[in-house]
Amino acid sequence: MSLWKIAWRSIQRRWVASLLTAISMALGVGLVVAVLLIVGIVQESFRNNTSLGYNLIVGAPTGGRLQLVLNTVYYLSQPIGNVNYNVYQNFLGAAERTDGRDGIYRPYVDFAIPVCLGDYYQGFRVVGTTAQLFDEFQFDPERQRKFEFTHGRNFRFRDAEHGFFEAVLGAAVVRETKLKLGDKISVAHGEPSGRTHESGFTIVGILKSSGTPVDRAVFVNMEGFLLLDGHAKPVAADDTAGDQVEHAVEPTEPPTNGTPTHGTIHDLAAMEPLPIEQRQVTSLLVKTSSLLVTEQLRRKINDSQEAQAVLPVREIYGLFDAIIRPIQQLLLVITALICVVSGIGILVSIYNSMSDRQHEIAVMRALGAGRSTVMWVVLFESILLSVGGGLLGWIGGHAIVAAVSPQIEARTGVQVGLFQLAPRERLWELSTAAGTLKMDVSPEVLLVPCLIVLAILVGLLPALAAYRTDVSRALSASP
Amino acid sequence: MLDVADLKKAFVEPGGGHLPVLDIPRFQLAAAEQMVLMGSSGGGKTTLLHVISGISRPDSGRVTIDGLEIGRLSESGRDQFRAEKIGYVFQTFNLLPGFTALENVLLGMTFRREKVDRTWAKELLRRVGLEHRLQHRPPAMSVGEQQRVAVARALANRPRLLLADEPTANVDPANQQHVVDLIRNTCRDEQIALLVVTHAPEVACQFERVDRLEDINLVVQNRRKGPASGGLR
C-alpha cells in the first residue's frame, strides 16, 4: 500500500476538517486564477487597443502627451485643445485640397483621420470624424479587422435626407441607451451636463462590439459636428494653434438634455459645410507610410510648434506600467497571501489532529515504518489537501470567468475559453554568445509546484511532530 | 532464535530519578517455540516486548534475534528489521479505523522491502474466518473480529518472531479461545516463534512453556524483597 493511499485514508477519516481546509485552499486558488485571467484579459484588451491601426496622434501643442492619448484613444479626460484645420490639410493629398497640391506631411503618411471631441450624449463621448474611420480604417491591422456594423450603415459625407447630421453608435452605447436606427439625438456641449445643441443627428448605423473604446462612443459626421453651435472658430479670433474650444453661439432653445428628438429642427440637408477658416479639430490619427519615417515626421511636426505628435503606444505602455501593472501585482500579492492563509489553515487542521493521530503513527512505527516514512505520510496529506483544493479552485476560477465570458467579450472584445490559460509571462531569460535563451510560461502552470512547496512548508511542522512521536508512550496511551 | 542477555531498562521519573523496570540476566526462545510469559500488571511485560521488538532501546544488555543483535542497528535499521522479521499483536488491537480489514492487513507488509502481497493478505483473512469482511472497517466489526484482523496483520510480513501482548484481554470469553488457537496454529504452520505475554491462567495453561516475569526479571524480585515501588508498565 502506497504512502499516498495511507495519507488519503487519513484525509477521509477527518473528512469534514479536510473538506473545509480544501475548500479554503480552493477559494484562494480560485481567486488567484481569476485574477490571473482578468490580468490576461486586461493585457489582451490593452494589446487590442495598442494595435491601433495608427502610430501617431497629432494634437494641440499645449497640454500633456498622455492626456492627448487618453482622450483620443480612450475618449477619457478633457480635450487639451484644438489644432487648426490647416494642420489636418497638411496630411491630405492634392485631390482633397483646394490648392491642388499635396500637403507637406502627405509623403510620410498612409492616412490621417481627424477627430473632434468636446460633446457628450448621456455621458458617452461624441466623436466627430470622417467616414474613413469605418469605411477603410483597420483597427487591428495584424488580423485585418475593420469596424463592422450590426445594423444600418456608415454616415455619409452629405446625405440627401440628413445632410451632414448622421450618427453611428458604439455597441455599448446602444446597449445602455436603447437607441435604434432612425432615432434623432441632440448632443450636450462641452460636458455631459452641458447645454444641448440645437441640431440633432439621425442614427444611421450601429457598430458591432470590437472590444475597443469605440464601443463606448457616439460617432458623428465631422461636417455636422463642426456646424453645431459653438464649434466654429470665430473668424475674428487669432488664428494660432492650440485655441480652446470656443462657445461662439449661445443656444436659442432650452436644452433637451440629450434625449432623442424626432422632428426637424433645421433644414439640415440644406446646410453648407463650415468654411475652412472657421474649422479646427481636436486631434488626428495618423498612420505613417513606414516605421522608418515615424520619428522623422514626429520631430518635424513638433518642430513646427503648430501641433504636437505623440507615439500612442509608448504613452499607453507607460500608463500601463505606471498604474495598471502595480495594481495587477498588488492583486496577485493579495490573492497569493490568501493562498498562504489557506495553507496555514492546512497546518492548523493537521496540527490540531496530531494528538489524535499520534496513536496511528505509533502503530505504523510498530509495524516497521521509519520516522521519515511517517513524516512523509503527513507531508503527503498536506500536499493532497493543498493540490486537491488547488485543482478545485483552478476549475472553479476558470468556470467563473467562463461563465461571465460573454459579458467580458461584449465589453472588451476578448474571448476567454473555459480552460484557456492566463497569458504567458517571461520566467527567465539568459543572454549567451549564441543568442538569448528564454522561457515563457503561463503563471497558472506554476500553480501546482507553488502549491506543493506551500504544502511542504506548512506540513513541515506536523510532519516533524510525527517524526518525533514517542512510539512506546503513544502505544501505551489509549487509542 | 531470541536471546536476551544482561538486559537493563529504567524510566526517567518526573523528579529526575531513575525507576528500574527490567533487569533480565538471560531469557531465550528457540525457533518456532511457543511460550507464555506471565506476570502481574505493571511488571514490565510490555516494556520487555518493546525492547525485544526494537521500539525501545535497552539501557544496557543485548537482544539477539535470528543471530542479529538489534542493539547494534540504527533506529531505521531496527524499524526495517521489525518490518521484516517481527509480528506484533497488541492488547488493544491497534487497527487503524480509517482502513478496511484488508488494508489493515496490507499495512503489516507495507513497510518491508518486498512488494505488498494482496493474495497473502486475503489468504490470512480467510484463515481467520474474515474473507467476507475484507472491505469492512474496524468500527463496523465486533471485538473478536477486530482481534482476528490484528492477528492477520501481525502475520502479514511472514515474521520469524510473533510477539502477542495480552491478545485476549479485550476479547469476550467466547472468542478468547478462538484467538489463542488462531495464533498458535498459524505460528506452528508457519514455523514462527511465539512469545505471548498474559496474566490469564486459562491462556497460559495451554502452553508447554510458561515463564513468570518475576523469575527472570530481577527488578520484580528486588521489589518484592524491598519496600513497594510505583507501578510499572
Side-chain angles (χ1 to χ4, degrees):
Chain A
M1 191 160 47
S2 73
L3 299 186
W4 288 106
K5 186 160 188 181
I6 295 173
W8 175 241
R9 284 282 181 262
S10 182
I11 288 172
Q12 283 182 312
R13 181 159 148 66
R14 299 164 186 85
W15 69 272
V16 176
S18 302
L19 185 66
L20 292 175
T21 311
I23 287 173
S24 145
M25 182 54 82
L27 287 173
V29 172
L31 275 173
V32 170
V33 168
V35 167
L36 286 173
L37 288 172
I38 289 165
V39 164
I41 290 163
V42 171
Q43 281 176 344
E44 179 76 16
S45 179
F46 251 81
R47 217 175 348 264
N48 282 352
N49 292 329
T50 52
S51 171
L52 297 167
Y54 50 87
N55 51 8
L56 268 186
I57 293 176
V58 177
T62 55
R65 295 194 304 269
L66 182 59
Q67 194 179 3
L68 176 61
V69 171
L70 281 178
N71 64 58
T72 305
V73 178
Y74 297 107
Y75 308 128
L76 299 171
S77 184
Q78 291 297 309
I80 57 172
N82 291 325
V83 288
N84 278 333
Y85 198 75
N86 68 321
V87 174
Y88 171 50
Q89 285 184 306
N90 285 339
F91 289 92
L92 298 178
E96 300 162 293
R97 287 165 58 99
T98 50
D99 60 3
R101 289 183 301 176
D102 277 348
I104 55 170
Y105 302 138
R106 181 70 190 94
Y108 300 96
V109 302
D110 284 346
F111 63 76
I113 299 173
V115 169
C116 300
L117 299 170
D119 286 0
Y120 295 83
Y121 179 76
Q122 291 192 2
F124 294 104
R125 263 279 161 76
V126 173
V127 182
T129 185
T130 59
Q132 193 180 3
L133 184 65
F134 303 119
D135 284 343
E136 301 160 25
F137 175 70
Q138 291 181 343
F139 71 93
D140 184 358
E142 281 179 23
R143 295 175 223 174
Q144 298 186 324
R145 289 172 69 194
K146 289 162 72 171
F147 295 113
E148 294 173 51
F149 288 86
T150 54
H151 297 93
R153 57 170 174 80
N154 193 2
F155 52 74
R156 297 188 178 112
F157 176 75
R158 186 169 204 164
D159 183 73
E161 185 183 353
H162 308 119
F164 302 119
F165 292 87
E166 290 186 331
V168 164
L169 303 184
V173 179
V174 173
R175 200 163 49 239
E176 291 186 29
T177 61
K178 311 294 180 202
L179 287 169
K180 55 187 185 301
L181 292 183
D183 285 348
K184 280 196 173 178
I185 55 170
S186 293
V187 299
H189 183 68
E191 53 190 58
S193 58
R195 65 185 168 79
T196 307
H197 287 291
E198 193 177 349
S199 306
F201 289 88
T202 303
I203 297 164
V204 296
I206 292 169
L207 291 164
K208 183 179 170 186
S209 175
S210 59
T212 69
V214 166
D215 290 348
R216 302 189 60 79
V218 174
F219 295 87
V220 299
N221 186 348
M222 180 178 75
E223 296 301 328
F225 186 93
L226 292 172
L227 286 169
L228 293 177
D229 47 320
H231 287 183
K233 188 172 69 173
V235 284
D238 183 23
D239 195 23
T240 55
D243 291 341
Q244 297 297 312
V245 176
E246 295 289 340
H247 298 172
V249 182
E250 290 300 318
T252 53
E253 290 177 14
T256 53
N257 209 17
T259 50
T261 58
H262 300 272
T264 307
I265 300 169
H266 288 301
D267 187 4
L268 300 174
M271 291 181 78
E272 289 301 317
L274 193 71
I276 283 175
E277 61 273 18
Q278 286 184 269
R279 292 171 172 232
Q280 50 190 358
V281 296
T282 307
S283 54
L284 302 168
L285 313 177
V286 176
K287 183 173 185 215
T288 53
S289 51
S290 82
L291 290 175
L292 296 173
V293 302
T294 305
E295 188 57 26
Q296 192 184 350
L297 178 62
R298 191 175 75 90
R299 286 196 188 145
K300 205 174 172 80
I301 294 168
N302 288 342
D303 290 346
S304 76
Q305 296 190 344
E306 60 181 353
Q308 68 169 325
V310 300
L311 301 166
V313 173
R314 183 185 293 176
E315 300 302 322
I316 290 167
Y317 274 109
L319 178 71
F320 190 85
D321 286 338
I323 298 173
I324 296 177
R325 199 175 291 281
I327 292 173
Q328 290 176 345
Q329 285 166 349
L330 185 68
L331 276 173
L332 273 178
V333 167
I334 291 170
T335 48
L337 280 177
I338 292 172
C339 282
V340 170
V341 172
S342 306
I344 292 170
I346 292 178
L347 163 67
V348 172
S349 166
I350 297 179
Y351 200 79
N352 278 347
S353 66
M354 280 315 287
S355 60
D356 179 32
R357 74 176 67 197
Q358 273 197 332
H359 190 79
E360 294 177 15
I361 288 165
V363 171
M364 285 193 275
R365 292 289 317 278
L367 294 174
R371 284 183 190 274
S372 55
T373 305
V374 293
M375 194 175 96
W376 276 112
V377 168
V378 175
L379 283 178
F380 284 171
E381 187 175 334
S382 177
I383 290 170
L384 282 174
L385 282 173
S386 175
V387 175
L391 282 177
L392 272 179
W394 184 80
I395 292 168
H398 275 273
I400 289 168
V401 174
V404 295
S405 67
Q407 285 86 346
I408 291 173
E409 190 182 349
R411 287 183 184 275
T412 67
V414 178
Q415 292 179 327
V416 191
L418 180 57
F419 293 116
Q420 184 183 328
L421 297 181
R424 293 174 171 207
E425 301 271 353
R426 179 70 35 90
L427 188 62
W428 55 263
E429 188 172 334
L430 185 67
S431 295
T432 64
T436 305
L437 295 170
K438 59 192 177 188
M439 185 176 179
D440 294 341
V441 294
S442 168
E444 287 185 57
V445 175
L446 300 177
L447 268 177
V448 170
C450 285
L451 285 173
I452 291 173
V453 170
L454 178 66
I456 289 174
L457 286 176
V458 300
L460 216 50
L461 198 61
L464 283 174
Y467 184 90
R468 287 197 297 260
T469 297
D470 183 334
V471 181
S472 196
R473 191 187 300 266
L475 281 177
S476 302
S478 296
Chain B
M1 198 278 150
L2 168 67
D3 185 11
V4 176
D6 301 323
L7 180 76
K8 289 186 179 173
K9 175 79 178 172
F11 288 133
V12 178
E13 290 184 300
H18 281 73
L19 178 66
V21 183
L22 298 172
D23 183 354
I24 301 174
R26 196 81 184 193
F27 173 68
Q28 289 178 311
L29 181 67
E33 186 183 2
Q34 298 187 353
M35 70 161 290
V36 160
L37 190 59
M38 286 194 76
S40 54
S41 289
K45 300 190 297 292
T46 301
T47 305
L48 175 61
L49 294 188
H50 283 180
V51 171
I52 290 173
S53 64
I55 291 172
S56 301
R57 294 195 70 164
D59 297 335
S60 63
R62 288 180 289 111
V63 175
T64 307
I65 300 172
D66 227 10
L68 185 70
E69 189 186 334
I70 61 170
R72 292 181 182 275
L73 297 173
S74 64
E75 187 182 51
S76 61
R78 292 201 308 277
D79 292 336
Q80 197 58 50
F81 184 81
R82 194 161 58 247
E84 307 277 352
K85 301 277 188 182
I86 296 176
Y88 207 125
V89 180
F90 300 91
Q91 179 180 341
T92 50
F93 322 143
N94 283 339
L95 298 177
L96 299 195
F99 292 65
T100 63
L102 179 61
E103 286 169 346
N104 265 290
V105 177
L106 290 172
L107 202 63
M109 51 177 98
T110 294
F111 306 113
R112 59 179 189 166
R113 287 196 187 88
E114 294 110 281
K115 280 185 71 177
V116 165
D117 185 350
R118 292 180 72 86
T119 311
W120 175 236
K122 287 179 181 173
E123 168 61 18
L124 283 169
L125 284 167
R126 189 194 62 75
R127 285 192 193 181
V128 300
L130 292 174
E131 65 270 34
H132 60 296
R133 308 280 273 166
L134 297 181
Q135 301 305 325
H136 287 71
R137 290 192 162 80
M141 302 171 92
S142 71
V143 170
E145 287 175 327
Q146 288 185 45
Q147 188 61 309
R148 281 190 272 161
V149 174
V151 170
R153 183 181 65 184
L155 296 165
N157 59 341
R158 299 179 191 270
R160 297 281 293 130
L161 171 65
L162 183 71
L163 306 172
D165 187 0
E166 304 275 14
T168 57
N170 287 317
V171 182
D172 56 286
N175 274 299
Q176 279 183 2
Q177 190 56 45
H178 186 62
V179 169
V180 171
D181 290 344
L182 189 63
I183 293 174
R184 294 198 68 188
N185 293 340
T186 312
C187 285
R188 190 188 60 235
D189 295 346
E190 300 292 328
Q191 290 293 293
I192 299 167
L194 172 64
L195 171 57
V196 177
V197 162
T198 184
H199 61 267
E202 67 276 15
V203 174
C205 68
Q206 300 177 44
F207 288 76
E208 289 176 12
R209 179 181 168 191
V210 178
D211 287 5
R212 301 192 69 80
L213 192 61
E214 50 265 41
D215 295 336
I216 61 168
N217 187 0
L218 299 181
V219 172
V220 181
Q221 291 174 14
N222 293 338
R223 199 185 305 150
R224 285 189 173 169
K225 290 174 194 165
S229 297
L232 304 174
R233 293 186 297 167

mmCIF file of all heavy atoms in Angstrom, chain A residues 130-135 149 152-156 166 168 204-205:
data_model
loop_
_atom_site.group_PDB
_atom_site.id
_atom_site.type_symbol
_atom_site.label_atom_id
_atom_site.label_comp_id
_atom_site.label_asym_id
_atom_site.label_seq_id
_atom_site.Cartn_x
_atom_site.Cartn_y
_atom_site.Cartn_z
ATOM 1 N N THR A 130 -14.477 61.478 -39.881
ATOM 2 C CA THR A 130 -14.890 61.272 -41.276
ATOM 3 C C THR A 130 -15.330 59.827 -41.479
ATOM 4 O O THR A 130 -15.025 58.958 -40.655
ATOM 5 C CB THR A 130 -13.723 61.576 -42.232
ATOM 6 O OG1 THR A 130 -12.640 60.697 -41.903
ATOM 7 C CG2 THR A 130 -13.267 63.017 -42.114
ATOM 8 N N ALA A 131 -15.983 59.567 -42.577
ATOM 9 C CA ALA A 131 -16.479 58.221 -42.862
ATOM 10 C C ALA A 131 -15.343 57.227 -43.029
ATOM 11 O O ALA A 131 -15.530 56.005 -42.912
ATOM 12 C CB ALA A 131 -17.344 58.245 -44.117
ATOM 13 N N GLN A 132 -14.145 57.755 -43.245
ATOM 14 C CA GLN A 132 -12.964 56.916 -43.445
ATOM 15 C C GLN A 132 -12.747 55.962 -42.258
ATOM 16 O O GLN A 132 -12.275 54.841 -42.425
ATOM 17 C CB GLN A 132 -11.751 57.850 -43.589
ATOM 18 C CG GLN A 132 -10.493 57.176 -44.112
ATOM 19 C CD GLN A 132 -9.345 58.184 -44.233
ATOM 20 O OE1 GLN A 132 -9.496 59.355 -43.879
ATOM 21 N NE2 GLN A 132 -8.240 57.731 -44.759
ATOM 22 N N LEU A 133 -13.123 56.424 -41.057
ATOM 23 C CA LEU A 133 -12.882 55.620 -39.850
ATOM 24 C C LEU A 133 -13.568 54.263 -39.948
ATOM 25 O O LEU A 133 -13.044 53.260 -39.455
ATOM 26 C CB LEU A 133 -13.380 56.380 -38.616
ATOM 27 C CG LEU A 133 -13.106 55.712 -37.265
ATOM 28 C CD1 LEU A 133 -11.606 55.634 -36.978
ATOM 29 C CD2 LEU A 133 -13.794 56.478 -36.134
ATOM 30 N N PHE A 134 -14.733 54.237 -40.567
ATOM 31 C CA PHE A 134 -15.463 52.965 -40.641
ATOM 32 C C PHE A 134 -15.427 52.335 -42.028
ATOM 33 O O PHE A 134 -15.704 51.157 -42.182
ATOM 34 C CB PHE A 134 -16.913 53.182 -40.193
ATOM 35 C CG PHE A 134 -17.014 53.764 -38.813
ATOM 36 C CD1 PHE A 134 -17.614 54.989 -38.603
ATOM 37 C CD2 PHE A 134 -16.473 53.079 -37.732
ATOM 38 C CE1 PHE A 134 -17.685 55.528 -37.329
ATOM 39 C CE2 PHE A 134 -16.544 53.618 -36.453
ATOM 40 C CZ PHE A 134 -17.150 54.853 -36.251
ATOM 41 N N ASP A 135 -15.062 53.123 -43.031
ATOM 42 C CA ASP A 135 -15.018 52.572 -44.391
ATOM 43 C C ASP A 135 -13.702 51.857 -44.670
ATOM 44 O O ASP A 135 -13.686 50.778 -45.254
ATOM 45 C CB ASP A 135 -15.188 53.697 -45.421
ATOM 46 C CG ASP A 135 -16.642 54.145 -45.517
ATOM 47 O OD1 ASP A 135 -17.508 53.373 -45.044
ATOM 48 O OD2 ASP A 135 -16.902 55.242 -46.028
ATOM 49 N N PHE A 149 -20.660 46.825 -38.887
ATOM 50 C CA PHE A 149 -21.982 47.285 -38.463
ATOM 51 C C PHE A 149 -22.899 46.097 -38.214
ATOM 52 O O PHE A 149 -22.941 45.164 -39.006
ATOM 53 C CB PHE A 149 -22.602 48.185 -39.537
ATOM 54 C CG PHE A 149 -21.942 49.533 -39.612
ATOM 55 C CD1 PHE A 149 -20.798 49.724 -40.389
ATOM 56 C CD2 PHE A 149 -22.455 50.608 -38.906
ATOM 57 C CE1 PHE A 149 -20.188 50.953 -40.458
ATOM 58 C CE2 PHE A 149 -21.841 51.852 -38.972
ATOM 59 C CZ PHE A 149 -20.702 52.028 -39.755
ATOM 60 N N GLY A 152 -27.665 48.928 -40.027
ATOM 61 C CA GLY A 152 -27.523 50.211 -40.716
ATOM 62 C C GLY A 152 -26.225 50.325 -41.488
ATOM 63 O O GLY A 152 -25.637 49.333 -41.922
ATOM 64 N N ARG A 153 -25.744 51.549 -41.582
ATOM 65 C CA ARG A 153 -24.604 51.836 -42.461
ATOM 66 C C ARG A 153 -23.757 52.929 -41.831
ATOM 67 O O ARG A 153 -24.112 53.493 -40.794
ATOM 68 C CB ARG A 153 -25.128 52.299 -43.816
ATOM 69 C CG ARG A 153 -26.040 53.523 -43.694
ATOM 70 C CD ARG A 153 -26.370 54.128 -45.035
ATOM 71 N NE ARG A 153 -27.353 55.200 -44.906
ATOM 72 C CZ ARG A 153 -27.074 56.451 -44.528
ATOM 73 N NH1 ARG A 153 -25.821 56.788 -44.198
ATOM 74 N NH2 ARG A 153 -28.021 57.366 -44.446
ATOM 75 N N ASN A 154 -22.655 53.221 -42.511
ATOM 76 C CA ASN A 154 -21.800 54.323 -42.083
ATOM 77 C C ASN A 154 -22.487 55.654 -42.433
ATOM 78 O O ASN A 154 -23.363 55.697 -43.312
ATOM 79 C CB ASN A 154 -20.457 54.205 -42.808
ATOM 80 C CG ASN A 154 -19.391 55.094 -42.202
ATOM 81 O OD1 ASN A 154 -19.643 55.780 -41.213
ATOM 82 N ND2 ASN A 154 -18.214 55.080 -42.803
ATOM 83 N N PHE A 155 -22.087 56.730 -41.743
ATOM 84 C CA PHE A 155 -22.652 58.029 -42.139
ATOM 85 C C PHE A 155 -22.025 58.497 -43.458
ATOM 86 O O PHE A 155 -20.911 58.090 -43.785
ATOM 87 C CB PHE A 155 -22.494 59.076 -41.038
ATOM 88 C CG PHE A 155 -21.105 59.236 -40.495
ATOM 89 C CD1 PHE A 155 -20.110 59.884 -41.237
ATOM 90 C CD2 PHE A 155 -20.783 58.754 -39.237
ATOM 91 C CE1 PHE A 155 -18.843 60.044 -40.727
ATOM 92 C CE2 PHE A 155 -19.510 58.910 -38.728
ATOM 93 C CZ PHE A 155 -18.537 59.553 -39.473
ATOM 94 N N ARG A 156 -22.783 59.271 -44.188
ATOM 95 C CA ARG A 156 -22.295 59.767 -45.474
ATOM 96 C C ARG A 156 -21.786 61.190 -45.310
ATOM 97 O O ARG A 156 -22.211 61.907 -44.397
ATOM 98 C CB ARG A 156 -23.413 59.751 -46.510
ATOM 99 C CG ARG A 156 -23.925 58.355 -46.787
ATOM 100 C CD ARG A 156 -24.881 58.348 -47.953
ATOM 101 N NE ARG A 156 -25.316 56.999 -48.238
ATOM 102 C CZ ARG A 156 -26.547 56.548 -48.069
ATOM 103 N NH1 ARG A 156 -27.500 57.363 -47.635
ATOM 104 N NH2 ARG A 156 -26.853 55.305 -48.349
ATOM 105 N N GLU A 166 -25.587 62.825 -39.561
ATOM 106 C CA GLU A 166 -25.822 61.398 -39.343
ATOM 107 C C GLU A 166 -24.864 60.906 -38.256
ATOM 108 O O GLU A 166 -23.753 61.423 -38.113
ATOM 109 C CB GLU A 166 -25.591 60.613 -40.631
ATOM 110 C CG GLU A 166 -26.672 60.895 -41.676
ATOM 111 C CD GLU A 166 -26.543 60.019 -42.913
ATOM 112 O OE1 GLU A 166 -25.407 59.610 -43.238
ATOM 113 O OE2 GLU A 166 -27.568 59.771 -43.551
ATOM 114 N N VAL A 168 -23.368 57.345 -35.930
ATOM 115 C CA VAL A 168 -23.163 55.891 -35.798
ATOM 116 C C VAL A 168 -22.862 55.641 -34.327
ATOM 117 O O VAL A 168 -22.086 56.389 -33.716
ATOM 118 C CB VAL A 168 -21.977 55.449 -36.694
ATOM 119 C CG1 VAL A 168 -21.483 54.067 -36.292
ATOM 120 C CG2 VAL A 168 -22.378 55.473 -38.161
ATOM 121 N N VAL A 204 -27.848 56.300 -38.101
ATOM 122 C CA VAL A 204 -27.948 55.518 -39.341
ATOM 123 C C VAL A 204 -27.203 54.193 -39.244
ATOM 124 O O VAL A 204 -27.336 53.325 -40.100
ATOM 125 C CB VAL A 204 -27.412 56.316 -40.551
ATOM 126 C CG1 VAL A 204 -28.273 57.549 -40.804
ATOM 127 C CG2 VAL A 204 -25.944 56.696 -40.361
ATOM 128 N N GLY A 205 -26.403 54.031 -38.183
ATOM 129 C CA GLY A 205 -25.643 52.772 -38.087
ATOM 130 C C GLY A 205 -25.342 52.419 -36.642
ATOM 131 O O GLY A 205 -25.200 53.290 -35.785
#
